[in-house]
């Protein structure tokens, strides 16, 4: 995904994640104010997250996923997987590391 040429524009990935946040919040019938109270932020902050103008920290994204009842991966659905651009030797190394640490 291309980064915007205007340095003041939100990153397209932040916009995508924010759009997914908004869609799920609305689907669940939750207001920005309700989500904000759950997260301990202002509704304006939630509004900025949804627009992509403020980035969401990993810990906050985890809390948002909890509040909305979705896995964190939900917010990234529809984006290209950066691992698809990985050279084959990197993919093999990652597979090896996952296997050697007990994951698979």
């Amino acid at each position: 995904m291309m980064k915007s040429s205007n340095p003041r524009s939100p990153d397209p990935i932040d916009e995508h994640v924010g759009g997914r946040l908004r869609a799920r919040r609305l689907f669940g019938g939750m207001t920005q104010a309700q989500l904000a109270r759950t997260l301990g932020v202002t509704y304006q902050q939630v509004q900025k997250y949804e627009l992509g103008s403020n980035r969401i920290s990993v810990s906050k994204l985890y809390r948002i996923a909890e509040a909305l009842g979705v896995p964190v991966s939900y917010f990234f659905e529809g984006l290209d997987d950066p691992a698809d651009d990985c050279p084959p030797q990197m993919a093999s190394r990652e597979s090896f590391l996952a296997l050697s640490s007990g994951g698979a």
Side-chain angles (χ1 to χ4, degrees):
M1 183 169 269
M2 297 278 300
K3 182 150 172 78
S4 173
S5 60
N6 181 350
R8 297 187 55 80
S9 296
D11 187 290
I13 296 170
D14 295 325
E15 289 180 324
H16 177 86
V17 170
R20 299 281 293 168
L21 186 166
R22 179 175 172 75
R24 184 60 189 194
R25 178 183 59 74
L26 291 172
F27 178 78
M30 186 181 285
T31 67
Q32 288 178 335
Q34 289 169 323
L35 180 58
R37 278 192 297 278
T38 301
L39 301 174
V41 299
T42 64
Y43 80 88
Q44 293 97 330
Q45 183 64 43
V46 171
Q47 189 174 52
K48 290 176 183 180
Y49 289 156
E50 290 182 354
L51 294 172
S53 57
N54 279 15
R55 290 188 175 154
I56 305 171
S57 71
V58 174
S59 58
K60 193 65 72 182
L61 188 61
Y62 184 88
R63 301 284 180 247
I64 291 168
E66 275 184 326
L68 298 178
V70 295
V72 172
S73 61
Y74 164 84
F75 299 103
F76 300 99
E77 290 173 6
L79 289 174
D80 293 335
D81 188 340
D84 291 344
D85 296 331
C86 246
Q89 64 272 23
M90 285 297 289
S92 325
R93 179 173 179 263
E94 297 305 321
S95 298
F96 170 79
L97 290 174
L99 290 173
S100 66
S101 67

